[in-house]
Amino acid sequence: LADLVAQPTASIPHACGTWAKTKAAYRFWSSPHVTAHAIRSAHVRTTLERITAHRTILAIQDTTSLDFTHHPATRDLGPLTPSTHQGLFVHSVLAATTGGVPLGLLDQAVWARDPATTGKKHQRRKRLTSDKESQRWLTALSATQTLVPAEVQVVTIADREADIFDLFALPRPPHAHVLIRATHNRVVDHEAHLLWTTLRHQTVGGTLVVDLRRGDERPARQAHLALRWTTVNLQPPRHRPARAQLQPVAVQALLAEEVNAPDGTVPIRWLLLTTLPLSQYAEAVQYVRWYTLRWLVERYHYVLKSGCRIEQLQLETADRLERALATYSIVAWRLLWLTYHAREHPDAPCTVALSQTEWQALYATHHRTTTLPAVPPGLSEAVRWIAQLGGFLGRRRDGAPGVQTIWRGLQRLHDIAATWSLLHPDAPPPDN
């Protein structure tokens, strides 16, 4: 892990550095005595330790796909979308603070889609949730509710794909809630009312300005949102098997709609369904801000695929890929944690993330001096220097460095620290 964190984008032989260490890594991932679940469980235990320091945490769910079509020799893969592509699906639950600092994984499921199910999407309404891939949202929610201790409030956040009646109907302990973006215009209260219409008839309870990150076809900007909310009773879906046995589920519905959107842009419209109490403007603001942190899990998957280059691994079977994925999942969290912990806690000592050799080598390189301070620099300052090694310009208008320049800088710091260690043999090694 120390080698992979130091050089996340490098190939396995490059990151390991020697043939013996490289062979050991491949043997580890191919061993029948090692399971991906055991690797992840070790990380989950430390995630839970970090969680106990907070009164409320967010459990953010999302699914991504890993495409290994360009590695046709790998066995036990399944069809992706489109079905001509082969790979694996990954569903992650990332724990984060309400301030947006990733705390680690709570759950992760990996599977290959059965080729026999290809082309049967039109039959999904006739099947129970437990017989469909959508069960992953409920399984992850159950795992989260079981793991997080009762003294910590946990709010599961997910996008529109998780708008599943069975998820809202799932039994929840008092400390667990959900905050889900709606996609279905559900029947609420009785057959005459629909969800969106009901919300639009509510009076605006206040406005809120949120910062929108840059999207695929959208520049970063601020959005002014009008907030409406009310309590609704979600009726069981009309086509749901055994519908007569189901009861309506009471939730709070919160509509956040952009007003005066810039010309040529698609206005923001978020309809959120939550089991959290909602009667005041301050609560509505808090829940919308929590929802804006959902993209953290997308960034996590981005780091996993682009930073750790998981799709470039050439391993023989899906089992071996899953063990490697479990290992790199910890690496990806570490990179993301370093990025956002430095923003949230800029004055923390850099020694929470860097060894003595690493911060001394970093300081000496940045300042072009061998005279070192008695006190290590702050974390935010050190991370900024690391990002500058990775191409971050550090201009006033550039803001905080992103995870991409940080992982590039860490690769350079690894080599610099190794040289520093040779010149200062009495210093601890970089991976201490």
Side-chain angles (χ1 to χ4, degrees):
L1 279 172
D3 289 338
L4 297 180
V5 168
Q7 303 188 85
T9 63
S11 66
I12 301 302
H14 185 185
C16 291
T18 67
W19 168 238
K21 293 173 71 175
T22 301
K23 193 173 182 180
Y26 284 124
R27 281 181 171 174
F28 178 70
W29 289 331
S30 63
S31 172
H33 305 293
V34 176
T35 67
H37 174 75
I39 299 171
R40 282 192 291 264
S41 294
H43 172 62
V44 169
R45 285 196 296 272
T46 59
T47 299
L48 292 173
E49 292 174 3
R50 288 184 285 270
I51 280 175
T52 56
H54 303 271
R55 295 180 61 184
T56 299
I57 64 107
L58 310 178
I60 313 172
Q61 292 193 31
D62 196 29
T63 305
T64 192
S65 60
L66 301 179
D67 193 334
F68 297 101
T69 306
H70 49 293
H71 300 315
T74 302
R75 302 189 302 273
D76 306 323
L77 302 175
L80 302 175
T81 303
S83 59
T84 53
H85 288 231
Q86 295 286 301
L88 299 170
F89 288 93
V90 181
H91 187 79
S92 304
V93 182
L94 181 70
T97 70
T98 55
V101 178
L103 297 172
L105 284 180
L106 284 172
D107 188 64
Q108 190 174 71
V110 182
W111 73 96
R113 182 174 286 167
D114 184 352
T117 63
T118 302
K120 296 185 177 181
K121 186 177 181 181
H122 63 284
Q123 300 177 6
R124 65 186 184 276
R125 285 187 174 182
K126 301 177 182 179
R127 308 197 323 260
L128 293 171
T129 302
S130 57
D131 297 329
K132 298 185 286 188
E133 282 188 354
S134 7
Q135 175 63 32
R136 67 189 184 274
W137 302 95
L138 281 71
T139 301
L141 176 59
S142 296
T144 299
Q145 294 177 167
T146 301
L147 285 168
V148 177
E151 59 270 19
V152 178
Q153 178 177 252
V154 55
V155 181
T156 291
I157 298 178
D159 210 351
R160 290 174 287 187
E161 197 175 353
D163 182 11
I164 305 167
F165 180 84
D166 288 354
L167 184 139
F168 295 105
L170 192 73
R172 291 176 296 100
H175 73 294
H177 291 278
V178 297
L179 177 62
I180 309 296
R181 184 178 174 188
T183 189
H184 303 296
N185 193 15
R186 297 183 179 278
V187 175
V188 296
D189 298 324
H190 55 79
E191 298 294 327
H193 291 92
L194 294 177
L195 180 61
W196 282 87
T197 305
T198 300
L199 264 295
R200 289 239 167 82
H201 285 165
Q202 304 304 311
T203 304
V204 173
T207 59
L208 169 67
V209 178
V210 297
D211 294 319
L212 299 178
R213 66 183 183 90
R214 181 173 59 85
D216 293 336
E217 299 180 357
R218 182 190 71 199
R221 63 182 174 88
Q222 286 189 329
H224 295 256
L225 306 179
L227 307 181
R228 297 176 171 89
W229 61 88
T230 190
T231 302
V232 297
N233 292 300
L234 301 181
Q235 301 298 312
R238 190 169 301 162
H239 301 282
R240 171 70 157 75
R243 182 178 188 269
Q245 302 173 18
L246 301 175
Q247 297 297 318
V249 178
V251 297
Q252 310 301 321
L254 167 59
L255 178 61
E257 284 192 299
E258 187 173 9
V259 294
N260 301 321
D263 292 338
T265 62
V266 178
I268 296 299
R269 289 186 180 90
W270 296 334
L271 202 166
L272 307 178
L273 301 176
T274 183
T275 57
L276 290 158
L278 175 53
S279 60
Q280 301 177 15
Y281 167 72
E283 293 171 331
V285 168
Q286 184 177 67
Y287 303 158
V288 171
R289 294 203 182 281
W290 284 355
Y291 178 76
T292 63
L293 296 176
R294 192 203 64 81
W295 63 272
L296 275 174
V297 72
E298 293 184 3
R299 293 301 288 172
Y300 172 74
H301 287 151
Y302 167 75
V303 174
L304 192 61
K305 294 199 281 189
S306 297
C308 300
R309 302 177 69 192
I310 194 74
E311 292 172 316
Q312 305 304 314
L313 292 179
Q314 299 185 44
L315 300 176
E316 294 179 359
T317 66
D319 281 346
R320 296 182 184 185
L321 282 174
E322 187 178 355
R323 295 185 189 100
L325 169 65
T327 308
Y328 271 106
S329 290
I330 306 171
V331 176
W333 163 75
R334 177 75 176 181
L335 293 172
L336 203 64
W337 170 83
L338 180 60
T339 302
Y340 292 101
H341 190 75
R343 297 181 187 180
E344 190 75 7
H345 305 282
D347 297 327
C350 68
T351 49
V352 300
L354 302 177
S355 69
Q356 178 179 315
T357 298
E358 288 169 333
W359 78 256
Q360 289 182 346
L362 178 64
Y363 184 95
T365 301
H366 181 79
H367 293 87
R368 299 183 180 277
T369 181
T370 56
T371 303
L372 301 173
V375 178
L379 180 62
S380 178
E381 192 173 33
V383 167
R384 198 173 184 87
W385 297 341
I386 292 172
Q388 287 174 344
L389 293 176
F392 178 67
L393 297 178
R395 298 168 297 186
R396 183 172 298 178
R397 66 177 182 273
D398 289 337
V403 66
Q404 190 173 38
T405 54
I406 291 173
W407 79 53
R408 288 174 180 168
L410 283 172
Q411 289 188 255
R412 286 200 60 200
L413 179 59
H414 173 79
D415 296 332
I416 294 169
T419 303
W420 180 268
S421 183
L422 289 173
L423 297 175
H424 301 81
D426 294 333
D431 59 348
N432 270 10

